[in-house]
Amino acid sequence: NSRDYIESLTAEIVTRMPDTDIEQELSDYFEVRHSNGDTIERVKKEQLNKNVAAYSVFAYVAANANF
């Protein structure tokens, strides 16, 4: 049945997909986290751009991988 096929395919992909971990630089993270200063204006554009680039490359590589 189709549910069994989806479950077996998902298990195969998870088994064959390499593990990855994308981390950002957090030296000043705890200075404003969950405080009144934790606003969108405090986002550092350079860090945001680096994160967007890292996740974009990961998504591209994962989408084009042959598992």
Side-chain angles (χ1 to χ4, degrees):
N1 88 37
S2 62
R3 182 181 178 113
D4 292 337
Y5 172 73
I6 291 171
E7 287 178 5
S8 67
L9 183 60
T10 301
E12 180 179 343
I13 290 171
V14 168
T15 300
R16 295 176 66 191
M17 181 178 284
D19 186 24
T20 188
D21 187 17
I22 299 174
E23 295 183 11
Q24 63 183 7
E25 196 276 311
L26 299 172
S27 63
D28 61 351
Y29 176 74
F30 293 102
E31 292 177 15
V32 295
R33 179 181 75 108
H34 302 299
S35 70
N36 291 339
D38 193 4
T39 63
I40 193 68
E41 292 82 18
R42 301 249 341 185
V43 172
K44 294 178 181 173
K45 188 174 182 178
E46 182 181 353
Q47 285 183 342
L48 179 61
N49 289 340
K50 287 178 180 180
N51 286 330
V52 169
Y55 280 98
S56 297
V57 169
F58 172 77
Y60 175 82
V61 170
N64 290 290
N66 294 316
F67 297 109

